[in-house]
Amino acid sequence: MPATPTHVPEPSRTDPALIRNFCIIAHIDHGKSTLADRMLQLTGVVEQRQMRAQYLDRMDIERERGITIKSQAVRLPWAPTTGDGEGTTHVLNMIDTPGHVDFTYEVSRSLAACEGTILLVDAAQGIEAQTLANLYLALENDLTIIPVLNKIDLPAAQPEKYAAELAHIIGCDPSEVLKVSAKTGEGVAELLNKVVAEVPPPVGVADAPARAMIFDSVYDSYRGVVTYVKVVDGQLSKRERIQMMSTGAAHELLEIGVSSPEMTASDGLGVGEVGYLITGVKDVRQSKVGDTVTQLHKGATEALGGYKDPKPMVFSGLYPLDGSDYPELRDALDKLQLNDAALVYEPETSAALGFGFRVGFLGLLHLDVIRERLEREFGLDLIATAPNVVYRVIMEDGTECTVTNPSEFPTGKIAEVYEPMVRATVLAPSEFVGAIMELCQSRRGNLLGMDYLSEDRVELRYTLPLAEIVFDFFDQLKSKTRGYASLDYEPTGEQTSELVKVDILLHGDKVDAFSAILHKDKAYAYGVRMAGKLRELIPRQQFEVPIQAAIGSRVIARETVRAIRKDVLAKCYGGDISRKRKLLEKQKEGKKRMKMVGAVEVPQEAFIAALSTDEGDSKGKK
Amino acid sequence: MPSVLPDGEPVPHDGSLPAPALAGAADRPLGFYLHVPYCATRCGYCDFNTYTATELRGSGGVLASRDNYAQTLVDEVRLARKVLGDDPRQVETVFVGGGTPTLLAAADLGRMLAAIRDEFGLADGAEITTEANPESVDPAYLAQLRASGFNRVSFGMQSARQHVLKILDRTHTPGRPEACVSEARAAGFDHVNLDLIYGTPGESDEDWQASLDAAIAAGPDHVSAYALIVEEGTQLARRIRRGEIPMTDDDVHADRYLMAEETLSAAGFGWYEVSNWATSVPGRCRHNELYWRGADWWGAGPGAHSHVGGVRWWNVKHPGAYAQALAEGRSPGAGREVLSAEDRRVERILLELRLAQGCPLELLAPAGARAAARAVSDGLLQSEPYAEGRAVLTLRGRLLADAVVRDLVD
């Protein structure tokens, strides 16, 4: 039976002592959304019949992939059934966090809005690398950790084993690990009681100028940008004028309120409270995660700490398959950017691929999600160039340039090239340690350390060049560990490396889309692989087409597409003529879809296949 | 004739043509193609419209059999007479193809020809050809054909090598086609053709050379040499897909073509179309030249294609359905297309460019004309005829004719 709390404190008039702000740290599929749903039900904010699975995840892709990209905050009334606060209605603000590696910064801001976190782990699978990384973030933010094993109803569950693992990691006793089934609801009430008992209430100064931290902002096509904040000090009231402290921009507060879980307007938000603001802005970049909101008049002078501008780490060229879709691609990116402050792009022209955009992403999943949304929600067919990172190039004359597109790598005398590095954490069963080390070594990794989380689970820590993991590292990792390994990484600065640009030339003409920046030891292998791939993909022309891979003017690999010698139908009699004319019309259409690289006709499929990471076909051949 | 019919608009029940199709007809030669859709066995590479059953029925129960086939075809010749109305033309060429025409009695082929003679009249010196299977003719049969008016015969030799013939499912013994040439000469045929196929999987350069030499030694005045086309849906295509037989590389086809050109021209044969060589101008197949020059011809028989004045149409494929239509007094036409001026221009380029005479440059649009100039400098078109206003393929250009056509029709 859902409890029906009485005397529910109202927003703007809630004693901070009754507030508990918490989030749930969990890996994809470990049941966070199901647990959140169960809490909504148990606290009575969503009635049984309105319940749809994973209520809080709104985007289709999220629902399908079972991941959360955008976080939200829900205000839940809960009167504990045990302990000190028994019978007193508390306000629990559940702040949903993004679950993926690329959104570390967003996660860190969500965590900064909380005083405690539920560490939710699948009782059949144990902790995963991203969860561990987020756990460390939570510990850095001094959050109270409530360890919980989920899915204890599963036959494959090993609650004792993973309770010991969790206890080992956070330094508690295995008996303190709660065991729940979000699916059946078992243990969820106890969990809510524990949140009230253990998570400290927020602390702030009530009679100070307001300071509220933005931990999320979401674009809604009806309401404009909805900004989620936690009020640290003071009070924000409706119809007030507010100011974003990073930019000084002032906005009218059109609406203020809380989600429970539908947006409900209130008079304001007080110390420790979590809610939303609507100011009428149309673009999330005007309401940046991590920024501090204050009143325009007599506002705070010092912002809360921790604000960072989102910085794209991975770039890829996106081109419409059909060049006439370029305006649609631009409109689609414009729309996605309304809701994604981390997405950056600028127009780019490729001799080989036509008009497109160089798009910057936070990381690999971000890239994947954006690409998929462009294709699915906007119906675009795209060619994406191989993802690359940002290089800082220092020339011998001391000038410096930043390279986000390999084809723009400078040609003159280069003194040093810097590439971004990451600190990667891999968790896997110990039997795969050898395979993982081999993979990381081959990607220029440097082992920092290795720890056993339990008898048979290992945590490996590496520094790796980001460039080495943006392409197919994760796929390789998964395939070498039969899917068991999990990966997390965070940027850790840059290092100088012996990097070179490899160009691919068709019949003497550079194909910009295939240029790549690589460590010098890997340049040869790349050249050989691309030249070999292209030899299979480029149809024979009327002349011989040399394919070369070159560093500067030095050719490192060469293949040849032999000239076509026969392109004629043997027979053309009475009944063949209509067929032949129609075939000719079809061939003419096909010719129009060819891209010209110099004098060489290259079918679009060849670009797609050459840019794809799939090497299965070359390996499968015997 | 490939077995897959194109899409088109319906043919009127009476088979009548739009009036413009007959305008100026008197200036164009008229030919007849007669299709015989029967074979003793089906060859693995063949996708022509042919059947090994001797009796097939239409949906209305009308019987199409080998025995009554000549009569059915005569019905279509009479329909042609009605459709062409008072067209005064006599017929310049007749070509009986298949299938295997010589599975029918020689008298049947004679009856079919007689119907054309009765309805239209044959022009002086008309060329009357039949295809013949080396195994289904003998001196008496050939003499009968000659007596009924045939003056040209085309034998399917394909190869001089047993193992090559076996891959092609051809049942005749090596040497038999060459003997047929002598028998045809003895029977009084002025013109004899041998068909050859090169690039069959398993054929070597030496096998092909032997086939060319054997064909020339037999003394025909015409040779057709075709690269083996592996058509979708054939037994051969299935065997290649299953990996039982290797696919022949295009470069091998190119090499074999060059061998054919070299051997045939050394023996006094001149190419006049991409796949056709003859010892003299009268030795050329005039009927096929009708196809390539946009003349008029009526194709009678199941699945046969016709062309009159810019209208192309094609008959239903199934012999039963074909016989049924004619029995009900309907045209057996399954569909047709009325060519636009641009279609006709494109067809002229794609057909005439395959000829030794080439196509006139005045057919080309500005982009096509520029492409022609490039093709000359690329060695695909001959420079002398080009200077005189004609696009004529070089030897290399013949092997890349389709690519040249794609550029020239721009």
Side-chain angles (χ1 to χ4, degrees):
Chain A
M1 274 296 289
T4 318
T6 51
H7 309 295
V8 178
E10 280 187 40
S12 84
R13 287 184 280 279
T14 304
D15 179 358
L18 293 176
I19 297 175
R20 301 292 182 271
N21 295 319
F22 73 101
C23 59
I24 304 173
I25 293 176
H27 189 70
I28 297 162
D29 289 341
H30 282 204
K32 180 172 73 172
S33 298
T34 313
L35 178 63
D37 289 347
R38 209 58 62 224
M39 288 180 172
L40 296 186
Q41 269 180 300
L42 205 55
T43 56
V45 298
V46 177
E47 285 179 42
Q48 206 89 23
R49 61 189 159 79
Q50 292 177 318
M51 201 68 208
R52 56 182 169 158
Q54 304 191 1
Y55 191 93
L56 294 177
D57 288 351
R58 294 210 165 157
M59 270 187 272
D60 284 348
I61 293 176
E62 291 185 18
R63 194 179 297 273
E64 266 173 43
R65 295 182 153 199
I67 56 174
T68 310
I69 298 163
K70 282 309 210 177
S71 59
Q72 284 179 311
V74 186
R75 187 176 169 110
L76 307 167
W78 179 251
T81 52
T82 54
D84 288 350
E86 186 176 343
T88 308
T89 303
H90 288 66
V91 168
L92 274 51
N93 290 307
M94 176 170 59
I95 294 167
D96 206 9
T97 54
H100 191 273
V101 54
D102 291 346
F103 301 95
T104 302
Y105 175 67
E106 293 195 16
V107 174
S108 80
R109 294 305 85 201
S110 296
L111 295 177
C114 301
E115 284 76 41
T117 182
I118 292 171
L119 175 64
L120 186 71
V121 171
D122 188 323
Q125 297 188 51
I127 197 163
E128 306 276 357
Q130 288 149 33
T131 315
L132 194 62
N134 288 341
L135 171 65
Y136 292 144
L137 272 179
L139 291 169
E140 279 170 31
N141 280 280
D142 287 329
L143 301 197
T144 298
I145 312 289
I146 300 176
V148 178
L149 286 173
N150 188 21
K151 307 195 188 181
I152 53 164
D153 55 306
L154 287 184
Q158 294 177 271
E160 303 316 320
K161 173 178 172 183
Y162 291 118
E165 185 178 282
L166 280 185
H168 173 74
I169 293 168
I170 62 173
C172 68
D173 190 88
S175 65
E176 291 173 56
V177 178
L178 277 186
K179 299 178 182 69
V180 308
S181 166
K183 200 172 130 198
T184 65
E186 184 185 347
V188 176
E190 292 75 6
L191 175 56
L192 290 170
N193 288 343
K194 196 155 180 173
V195 168
V196 173
E198 298 202 354
V199 175
V203 179
V205 185
D207 57 357
R211 290 200 297 173
M213 188 202 59
I214 300 177
F215 61 86
D216 199 3
S217 69
V218 181
Y219 177 77
D220 178 293
S221 50
Y222 297 104
R223 319 206 62 181
V225 172
V226 180
T227 302
Y228 290 88
V229 297
K230 178 201 187 185
V231 178
V232 176
D233 295 322
Q235 171 111 10
L236 285 174
S237 304
K238 61 180 179 185
R239 288 189 294 276
E240 203 166 21
R241 282 176 67 77
I242 56 162
Q243 190 178 25
M244 301 297 176
M245 292 190 72
S246 73
T247 58
H251 301 288
E252 190 78 40
L253 200 48
L254 302 179
E255 186 177 318
I256 187 167
V258 297
S259 312
S260 62
E262 303 301 339
M263 289 196 282
T264 312
S266 69
D267 292 342
L269 292 171
V271 168
E273 286 194 286
V274 169
Y276 68 89
L277 313 175
I278 291 173
T279 60
V281 304
K282 295 283 183 220
D283 183 335
V284 289
R285 281 166 299 168
Q286 292 170 276
S287 194
K288 298 174 179 174
V289 170
D291 203 354
T292 303
V293 181
T294 188
Q295 293 106 336
L296 185 60
H297 295 294
K298 296 182 184 165
T301 50
E302 204 172 315
L304 298 161
Y307 173 72
K308 277 195 280 185
D309 257 329
K311 193 174 142 212
M313 299 289 290
V314 176
F315 286 80
S316 171
L318 295 183
Y319 293 84
L321 263 185
D322 178 346
S324 66
D325 283 344
Y326 177 78
E328 280 78 22
L329 175 58
R330 188 189 52 219
D331 291 349
L333 285 167
D334 284 347
K335 283 202 181 106
L336 289 180
Q337 200 180 42
L338 290 177
N339 205 5
D340 190 342
L343 181 68
V344 298
Y345 53 91
E346 57 183 42
E348 172 177 88
T349 313
S350 156
L353 304 177
F355 292 103
F357 292 91
R358 177 120 307 239
V359 188
F361 305 93
L362 292 175
L364 295 180
L365 177 86
H366 193 207
L367 184 158
D368 252 19
V369 166
I370 295 293
R371 233 180 97 173
E372 202 171 321
R373 291 187 65 184
L374 288 170
E375 296 196 331
R376 188 190 310 203
E377 291 172 32
F378 298 91
L380 292 162
D381 288 319
L382 300 173
I383 300 185
T385 62
N388 62 271
V389 301
V390 182
Y391 298 95
R392 199 159 64 83
V393 183
I394 317 282
M395 308 300 287
E396 282 186 357
D397 64 6
T399 56
E400 179 181 328
C401 62
T402 303
V403 176
T404 58
N405 180 344
S407 68
E408 290 162 3
F409 199 76
T411 46
K413 287 206 187 302
I414 291 167
E416 275 178 326
V417 185
Y418 288 88
E419 64 175 335
M421 301 297 292
V422 298
R423 182 181 189 276
T425 307
V426 178
L427 296 196
S430 48
E431 60 185 294
F432 300 116
V433 164
I436 295 166
M437 285 183 157
E438 202 180 321
L439 175 65
C440 291
Q441 227 91 68
S442 76
R443 301 300 177 104
R444 299 190 279 138
N446 185 20
L447 181 64
L448 295 175
M450 179 171 124
D451 283 306
Y452 277 80
L453 298 179
S454 61
E455 249 171 45
D456 55 358
R457 293 236 305 161
V458 178
E459 177 196 33
L460 290 136
R461 292 181 302 280
Y462 271 92
T463 49
L464 283 155
L466 177 62
E468 293 286 345
I469 66 170
V470 295
F471 200 43
D472 59 349
F473 181 79
F474 191 57
D475 292 339
Q476 289 285 316
L477 182 66
K478 282 286 181 191
S479 79
K480 285 182 194 302
T481 60
R482 295 208 302 272
Y484 281 112
S486 61
L487 167 74
D488 186 76
Y489 65 86
E490 56 177 343
T492 53
E494 56 179 14
Q495 74 171 24
T496 60
S497 298
E498 292 188 83
L499 298 170
V500 293
K501 181 175 76 150
V502 179
D503 290 314
I504 303 293
L505 295 89
L506 283 188
H507 206 244
D509 290 305
K510 258 181 223 172
V511 189
D512 52 10
F514 295 150
S515 291
I517 296 168
L518 297 153
H519 190 265
K520 67 172 180 41
D521 293 346
K522 299 194 162 188
Y524 175 72
Y526 174 81
V528 168
R529 187 167 55 83
M530 282 304 278
K533 236 179 180 180
L534 288 170
R535 185 173 61 87
E536 301 293 322
L537 293 168
I538 292 175
R540 295 169 69 178
Q541 320 267 317
Q542 281 173 28
F543 44 88
E544 185 176 285
V545 179
I547 303 169
Q548 295 161 307
I551 299 172
S553 57
R554 187 164 58 90
V555 174
I556 55 170
R558 187 191 159 103
E559 294 274 3
T560 305
V561 179
R562 287 177 302 153
I564 189 166
R565 294 184 48 212
K566 181 195 165 242
D567 181 3
V568 60
L569 209 60
K571 292 189 178 192
C572 197
Y573 296 104
D576 302 312
I577 298 169
S578 292
R579 181 162 85 146
K580 171 97 173 131
R581 195 185 69 247
K582 282 171 182 166
L583 183 68
L584 178 67
E585 285 161 10
K586 234 167 99 180
Q587 289 172 333
K588 300 283 299 176
E589 276 306 305
K591 208 172 136 179
K592 276 190 208 149
R593 286 197 305 273
M594 294 276 190
K595 303 258 185 188
M596 297 301 294
V597 175
V600 182
E601 290 179 351
V602 184
Q604 211 146 34
E605 304 80 66
F607 283 106
I608 298 171
L611 290 169
S612 80
T613 55
D614 180 28
E615 288 174 43
D617 49 354
S618 55
K619 280 180 188 162
K621 273 184 198 161
K622 289 202 176 143
Chain B
M1 167 190 12
S3 66
V4 180
L5 296 178
D7 296 324
E9 60 183 56
V11 173
H13 265 22
D14 59 1
S16 60
L17 291 166
L22 294 171
D27 302 332
R28 299 187 298 264
L30 173 66
F32 259 88
Y33 172 77
L34 309 178
H35 187 65
V36 178
Y38 297 105
C39 280
T41 58
R42 189 172 189 102
C43 300
Y45 65 93
C46 173
D47 84 326
F48 287 6
N49 189 33
T50 184
Y51 302 82
T52 52
T54 53
E55 297 195 340
L56 297 157
R57 277 186 196 279
S59 55
V62 168
L63 181 71
S65 75
R66 265 191 221 173
D67 294 340
N68 70 9
Y69 183 73
Q71 185 52 49
T72 310
L73 197 109
V74 166
D75 288 345
E76 190 180 352
V77 172
R78 292 189 179 134
L79 174 76
R81 177 71 274 171
K82 266 188 232 159
V83 169
L84 295 177
D86 52 8
D87 186 336
R89 288 178 290 178
Q90 292 191 319
V91 170
E92 303 280 343
T93 67
V94 177
F95 193 106
V96 186
T100 309
T102 49
L103 272 188
L104 301 188
D108 280 346
L109 300 187
R111 275 175 65 202
M112 287 155 44
L113 178 59
I116 293 171
R117 190 185 288 119
D118 294 348
E119 297 292 342
F120 291 87
L122 292 172
D124 277 350
E127 175 195 273
I128 316 293
T129 309
T130 183
E131 290 180 346
N133 180 329
E135 290 297 321
S136 61
V137 295
D138 58 22
Y141 189 101
L142 288 165
Q144 234 183 313
L145 282 181
R146 184 70 194 94
S148 62
F150 285 86
N151 54 25
R152 187 172 183 272
V153 61
S154 170
F155 293 105
M157 171 174 168
Q158 322 312 1
S159 172
R161 295 293 202 208
Q162 181 77 59
H163 71 99
V164 176
L165 291 171
K166 189 155 184 281
I167 294 284
L168 296 172
D169 293 332
R170 301 300 291 213
T171 51
H172 63 256
T173 47
R176 177 62 202 147
E178 296 92 307
C180 286
V181 177
S182 307
E183 290 172 12
R185 294 290 194 200
F189 282 93
D190 296 330
H191 303 298
V192 183
N193 170 59
L194 289 175
D195 273 351
L196 293 173
I197 290 179
Y198 58 87
T200 301
E203 179 195 64
S204 66
D205 283 353
E206 192 264 326
D207 291 334
W208 176 232
Q209 189 62 51
S211 298
L212 287 165
D213 292 343
I216 290 165
D221 64 341
H222 190 285
V223 170
S224 302
Y226 302 112
L228 179 69
I229 303 173
V230 179
E231 299 283 0
E232 271 313 303
T234 59
Q235 181 67 18
L236 183 64
R238 283 191 290 278
R239 292 179 69 188
I240 288 174
R241 202 168 47 239
R242 287 198 297 260
E244 293 170 28
I245 298 180
M247 181 81 172
T248 305
D249 187 83
D250 272 352
D251 286 0
V252 171
H253 278 137
D255 289 337
R256 302 267 156 89
Y257 183 85
L258 296 178
M259 287 169 69
E261 169 59 27
E262 193 182 328
T263 308
L264 288 166
S265 61
F269 288 79
W271 82 284
Y272 69 102
E273 194 263 355
V274 166
S275 300
N276 289 279
W277 288 260
T279 53
S280 65
V281 173
R284 294 177 179 179
C285 179
R286 282 159 53 199
H287 181 80
N288 287 341
E289 287 183 314
L290 295 190
Y291 297 146
W292 302 325
R293 295 185 188 288
D296 289 350
W297 77 87
W298 189 290
H305 287 242
S306 302
H307 171 257
V308 173
V311 181
R312 296 194 183 282
W313 75 93
W314 44 90
N315 285 346
V316 294
K317 270 174 64 182
H318 194 270
Y322 170 77
Q324 186 80 37
L326 285 167
E328 291 169 10
R330 284 185 288 118
S331 160
R336 73 177 187 189
E337 54 180 358
V338 179
L339 304 177
S340 67
E342 174 62 9
D343 289 341
R344 296 181 77 167
R345 185 186 78 90
V346 167
E347 283 192 355
R348 278 197 65 188
I349 296 170
L350 77 86
L351 293 169
E352 293 180 26
L353 194 69
R354 292 171 63 93
L355 302 174
Q357 268 202 305
C359 80
L361 293 175
E362 69 217 29
L363 278 178
L364 307 183
R370 285 193 297 276
R374 279 198 305 276
V376 173
S377 57
D378 289 347
L380 298 169
L381 292 179
Q382 299 177 23
S383 49
E384 273 176 42
Y386 179 78
E388 291 159 14
R390 301 194 69 80
V392 177
L393 295 168
T394 59
L395 180 54
R396 189 166 90 87
R398 276 146 71 182
L399 280 163
L400 296 169
D402 288 3
V404 178
V405 166
R406 282 196 291 278
D407 291 337
L408 263 52
V409 297
D410 270 341

